[in-house]
PDB file of all heavy atoms in Angstrom:
ATOM      1  N   LEU A 158     -44.222 -58.722 127.138  1.00  0.00           N
ATOM      2  CA  LEU A 158     -44.553 -58.525 128.546  1.00  0.00           C
ATOM      3  C   LEU A 158     -45.346 -57.239 128.729  1.00  0.00           C
ATOM      4  O   LEU A 158     -46.218 -57.159 129.603  1.00  0.00           O
ATOM      5  CB  LEU A 158     -43.280 -58.510 129.395  1.00  0.00           C
ATOM      6  CG  LEU A 158     -42.554 -59.857 129.538  1.00  0.00           C
ATOM      7  CD1 LEU A 158     -41.315 -59.701 130.405  1.00  0.00           C
ATOM      8  CD2 LEU A 158     -43.479 -60.938 130.119  1.00  0.00           C
ATOM      9  N   GLU A 162     -48.753 -57.113 130.719  1.00  0.00           N
ATOM     10  CA  GLU A 162     -48.871 -56.238 131.886  1.00  0.00           C
ATOM     11  C   GLU A 162     -50.066 -55.296 131.739  1.00  0.00           C
ATOM     12  O   GLU A 162     -50.827 -55.089 132.692  1.00  0.00           O
ATOM     13  CB  GLU A 162     -47.581 -55.437 132.070  1.00  0.00           C
ATOM     14  CG  GLU A 162     -46.404 -56.275 132.561  1.00  0.00           C
ATOM     15  CD  GLU A 162     -45.073 -55.556 132.433  1.00  0.00           C
ATOM     16  OE1 GLU A 162     -45.026 -54.465 131.805  1.00  0.00           O
ATOM     17  OE2 GLU A 162     -44.064 -56.085 132.936  1.00  0.00           O
ATOM     18  N   ILE A 165     -53.334 -57.111 132.318  1.00  0.00           N
ATOM     19  CA  ILE A 165     -53.591 -57.315 133.749  1.00  0.00           C
ATOM     20  C   ILE A 165     -54.132 -56.034 134.368  1.00  0.00           C
ATOM     21  O   ILE A 165     -55.112 -56.067 135.127  1.00  0.00           O
ATOM     22  CB  ILE A 165     -52.304 -57.788 134.448  1.00  0.00           C
ATOM     23  CG1 ILE A 165     -51.904 -59.189 133.953  1.00  0.00           C
ATOM     24  CG2 ILE A 165     -52.484 -57.797 135.965  1.00  0.00           C
ATOM     25  CD1 ILE A 165     -50.506 -59.606 134.329  1.00  0.00           C
ATOM     26  N   ILE A 172     -54.116 -64.319 130.900  1.00  0.00           N
ATOM     27  CA  ILE A 172     -53.325 -63.826 129.782  1.00  0.00           C
ATOM     28  C   ILE A 172     -52.931 -65.018 128.922  1.00  0.00           C
ATOM     29  O   ILE A 172     -52.634 -66.093 129.433  1.00  0.00           O
ATOM     30  CB  ILE A 172     -52.086 -63.029 130.247  1.00  0.00           C
ATOM     31  CG1 ILE A 172     -51.254 -63.819 131.258  1.00  0.00           C
ATOM     32  CG2 ILE A 172     -52.523 -61.689 130.837  1.00  0.00           C
ATOM     33  CD1 ILE A 172     -49.978 -63.097 131.708  1.00  0.00           C
ATOM     34  N   ALA A 260     -41.472 -68.942 131.145  1.00  0.00           N
ATOM     35  CA  ALA A 260     -41.084 -68.719 132.538  1.00  0.00           C
ATOM     36  C   ALA A 260     -41.333 -67.277 132.960  1.00  0.00           C
ATOM     37  O   ALA A 260     -41.816 -67.009 134.076  1.00  0.00           O
ATOM     38  CB  ALA A 260     -39.609 -69.077 132.736  1.00  0.00           C
ATOM     39  N   GLU A 261     -41.031 -66.338 132.079  1.00  0.00           N
ATOM     40  CA  GLU A 261     -41.255 -64.927 132.397  1.00  0.00           C
ATOM     41  C   GLU A 261     -42.753 -64.624 132.514  1.00  0.00           C
ATOM     42  O   GLU A 261     -43.178 -63.830 133.370  1.00  0.00           O
ATOM     43  CB  GLU A 261     -40.623 -64.044 131.320  1.00  0.00           C
ATOM     44  CG  GLU A 261     -39.106 -64.046 131.345  1.00  0.00           C
ATOM     45  CD  GLU A 261     -38.493 -63.341 130.148  1.00  0.00           C
ATOM     46  OE1 GLU A 261     -39.027 -63.449 129.021  1.00  0.00           O
ATOM     47  OE2 GLU A 261     -37.465 -62.658 130.346  1.00  0.00           O
ATOM     48  N   ILE A 262     -43.551 -65.266 131.682  1.00  0.00           N
ATOM     49  CA  ILE A 262     -45.003 -65.041 131.717  1.00  0.00           C
ATOM     50  C   ILE A 262     -45.609 -65.639 132.973  1.00  0.00           C
ATOM     51  O   ILE A 262     -46.476 -65.032 133.618  1.00  0.00           O
ATOM     52  CB  ILE A 262     -45.646 -65.620 130.440  1.00  0.00           C
ATOM     53  CG1 ILE A 262     -45.142 -64.851 129.216  1.00  0.00           C
ATOM     54  CG2 ILE A 262     -47.162 -65.555 130.518  1.00  0.00           C
ATOM     55  CD1 ILE A 262     -45.420 -65.537 127.902  1.00  0.00           C
ATOM     56  N   ILE A 263     -45.148 -66.826 133.354  1.00  0.00           N
ATOM     57  CA  ILE A 263     -45.624 -67.433 134.604  1.00  0.00           C
ATOM     58  C   ILE A 263     -45.289 -66.533 135.789  1.00  0.00           C
ATOM     59  O   ILE A 263     -46.133 -66.291 136.668  1.00  0.00           O
ATOM     60  CB  ILE A 263     -45.017 -68.836 134.793  1.00  0.00           C
ATOM     61  CG1 ILE A 263     -45.616 -69.822 133.777  1.00  0.00           C
ATOM     62  CG2 ILE A 263     -45.238 -69.341 136.218  1.00  0.00           C
ATOM     63  CD1 ILE A 263     -44.962 -71.187 133.787  1.00  0.00           C
ATOM     64  N   ALA A 264     -44.069 -66.023 135.823  1.00  0.00           N
ATOM     65  CA  ALA A 264     -43.661 -65.145 136.929  1.00  0.00           C
ATOM     66  C   ALA A 264     -44.523 -63.902 136.981  1.00  0.00           C
ATOM     67  O   ALA A 264     -44.936 -63.456 138.071  1.00  0.00           O
ATOM     68  CB  ALA A 264     -42.188 -64.769 136.771  1.00  0.00           C
ATOM     69  N   LEU A 265     -44.832 -63.322 135.834  1.00  0.00           N
ATOM     70  CA  LEU A 265     -45.676 -62.127 135.786  1.00  0.00           C
ATOM     71  C   LEU A 265     -47.086 -62.446 136.288  1.00  0.00           C
ATOM     72  O   LEU A 265     -47.662 -61.678 137.080  1.00  0.00           O
ATOM     73  CB  LEU A 265     -45.740 -61.605 134.343  1.00  0.00           C
ATOM     74  CG  LEU A 265     -46.590 -60.356 134.116  1.00  0.00           C
ATOM     75  CD1 LEU A 265     -45.956 -59.143 134.790  1.00  0.00           C
ATOM     76  CD2 LEU A 265     -46.790 -60.112 132.623  1.00  0.00           C
ATOM     77  N   ALA A 266     -47.641 -63.566 135.836  1.00  0.00           N
ATOM     78  CA  ALA A 266     -48.983 -63.952 136.256  1.00  0.00           C
ATOM     79  C   ALA A 266     -49.047 -64.186 137.761  1.00  0.00           C
ATOM     80  O   ALA A 266     -49.992 -63.739 138.436  1.00  0.00           O
ATOM     81  CB  ALA A 266     -49.427 -65.209 135.505  1.00  0.00           C
ATOM     82  N   LYS A 267     -48.051 -64.870 138.292  1.00  0.00           N
ATOM     83  CA  LYS A 267     -48.023 -65.124 139.731  1.00  0.00           C
ATOM     84  C   LYS A 267     -47.883 -63.820 140.520  1.00  0.00           C
ATOM     85  O   LYS A 267     -48.511 -63.644 141.579  1.00  0.00           O
ATOM     86  CB  LYS A 267     -46.879 -66.087 140.078  1.00  0.00           C
ATOM     87  CG  LYS A 267     -47.178 -67.547 139.785  1.00  0.00           C
ATOM     88  CD  LYS A 267     -45.999 -68.417 140.146  1.00  0.00           C
ATOM     89  CE  LYS A 267     -46.397 -69.888 140.179  1.00  0.00           C
ATOM     90  NZ  LYS A 267     -47.158 -70.243 141.383  1.00  0.00           N
ATOM     91  N   GLN A 268     -47.072 -62.916 140.021  1.00  0.00           N
ATOM     92  CA  GLN A 268     -46.869 -61.631 140.703  1.00  0.00           C
ATOM     93  C   GLN A 268     -48.180 -60.869 140.845  1.00  0.00           C
ATOM     94  O   GLN A 268     -48.416 -60.210 141.871  1.00  0.00           O
ATOM     95  CB  GLN A 268     -45.861 -60.792 139.918  1.00  0.00           C
ATOM     96  CG  GLN A 268     -45.600 -59.407 140.508  1.00  0.00           C
ATOM     97  CD  GLN A 268     -44.701 -58.560 139.620  1.00  0.00           C
ATOM     98  OE1 GLN A 268     -44.112 -59.062 138.656  1.00  0.00           O
ATOM     99  NE2 GLN A 268     -44.599 -57.287 139.921  1.00  0.00           N
ATOM    100  N   HIS A 269     -49.045 -60.982 139.842  1.00  0.00           N
ATOM    101  CA  HIS A 269     -50.272 -60.188 139.833  1.00  0.00           C
ATOM    102  C   HIS A 269     -51.533 -60.994 140.137  1.00  0.00           C
ATOM    103  O   HIS A 269     -52.638 -60.439 140.119  1.00  0.00           O
ATOM    104  CB  HIS A 269     -50.421 -59.494 138.483  1.00  0.00           C
ATOM    105  CG  HIS A 269     -49.363 -58.462 138.220  1.00  0.00           C
ATOM    106  ND1 HIS A 269     -49.396 -57.207 138.786  1.00  0.00           N
ATOM    107  CD2 HIS A 269     -48.233 -58.507 137.470  1.00  0.00           C
ATOM    108  CE1 HIS A 269     -48.343 -56.511 138.382  1.00  0.00           C
ATOM    109  NE2 HIS A 269     -47.611 -57.280 137.585  1.00  0.00           N
ATOM    110  N   GLY A 270     -51.386 -62.290 140.374  1.00  0.00           N
ATOM    111  CA  GLY A 270     -52.535 -63.092 140.763  1.00  0.00           C
ATOM    112  C   GLY A 270     -53.540 -63.352 139.653  1.00  0.00           C
ATOM    113  O   GLY A 270     -54.745 -63.441 139.916  1.00  0.00           O
ATOM    114  N   VAL A 271     -53.056 -63.471 138.412  1.00  0.00           N
ATOM    115  CA  VAL A 271     -53.938 -63.817 137.308  1.00  0.00           C
ATOM    116  C   VAL A 271     -53.550 -65.188 136.773  1.00  0.00           C
ATOM    117  O   VAL A 271     -52.511 -65.741 137.134  1.00  0.00           O
ATOM    118  CB  VAL A 271     -53.878 -62.766 136.176  1.00  0.00           C
ATOM    119  CG1 VAL A 271     -54.274 -61.395 136.689  1.00  0.00           C
ATOM    120  CG2 VAL A 271     -52.489 -62.730 135.539  1.00  0.00           C
ATOM    121  N   GLY A 272     -54.392 -65.727 135.902  1.00  0.00           N
ATOM    122  CA  GLY A 272     -54.113 -67.027 135.323  1.00  0.00           C
ATOM    123  C   GLY A 272     -53.457 -66.913 133.963  1.00  0.00           C
ATOM    124  O   GLY A 272     -53.348 -65.827 133.388  1.00  0.00           O
ATOM    125  N   ILE A 273     -53.015 -68.053 133.428  1.00  0.00           N
ATOM    126  CA  ILE A 273     -52.476 -68.090 132.069  1.00  0.00           C
ATOM    127  C   ILE A 273     -53.254 -69.113 131.255  1.00  0.00           C
ATOM    128  O   ILE A 273     -53.810 -70.075 131.794  1.00  0.00           O
ATOM    129  CB  ILE A 273     -50.964 -68.381 132.023  1.00  0.00           C
ATOM    130  CG1 ILE A 273     -50.657 -69.829 132.448  1.00  0.00           C
ATOM    131  CG2 ILE A 273     -50.189 -67.400 132.894  1.00  0.00           C
ATOM    132  CD1 ILE A 273     -49.213 -70.234 132.165  1.00  0.00           C
ATOM    133  N   TRP A 303     -48.741 -75.756 139.430  1.00  0.00           N
ATOM    134  CA  TRP A 303     -50.003 -75.839 138.706  1.00  0.00           C
ATOM    135  C   TRP A 303     -50.123 -77.210 138.045  1.00  0.00           C
ATOM    136  O   TRP A 303     -49.508 -77.473 137.019  1.00  0.00           O
ATOM    137  CB  TRP A 303     -50.069 -74.738 137.651  1.00  0.00           C
ATOM    138  CG  TRP A 303     -50.148 -73.354 138.238  1.00  0.00           C
ATOM    139  CD1 TRP A 303     -50.588 -73.008 139.479  1.00  0.00           C
ATOM    140  CD2 TRP A 303     -49.783 -72.126 137.590  1.00  0.00           C
ATOM    141  NE1 TRP A 303     -50.529 -71.646 139.647  1.00  0.00           N
ATOM    142  CE2 TRP A 303     -50.037 -71.072 138.508  1.00  0.00           C
ATOM    143  CE3 TRP A 303     -49.268 -71.808 136.325  1.00  0.00           C
ATOM    144  CZ2 TRP A 303     -49.801 -69.733 138.207  1.00  0.00           C
ATOM    145  CZ3 TRP A 303     -49.025 -70.479 136.019  1.00  0.00           C
ATOM    146  CH2 TRP A 303     -49.294 -69.446 136.945  1.00  0.00           C
TER     147      TRP A 303
END
Side-chain angles (χ1 to χ4, degrees):
L158 290 180
E162 288 167 351
I165 293 167
I172 52 177
E261 289 171 323
I262 295 165
I263 290 173
L265 180 68
K267 281 180 166 284
Q268 178 186 350
H269 294 282
V271 301
I273 69 169
W303 293 337

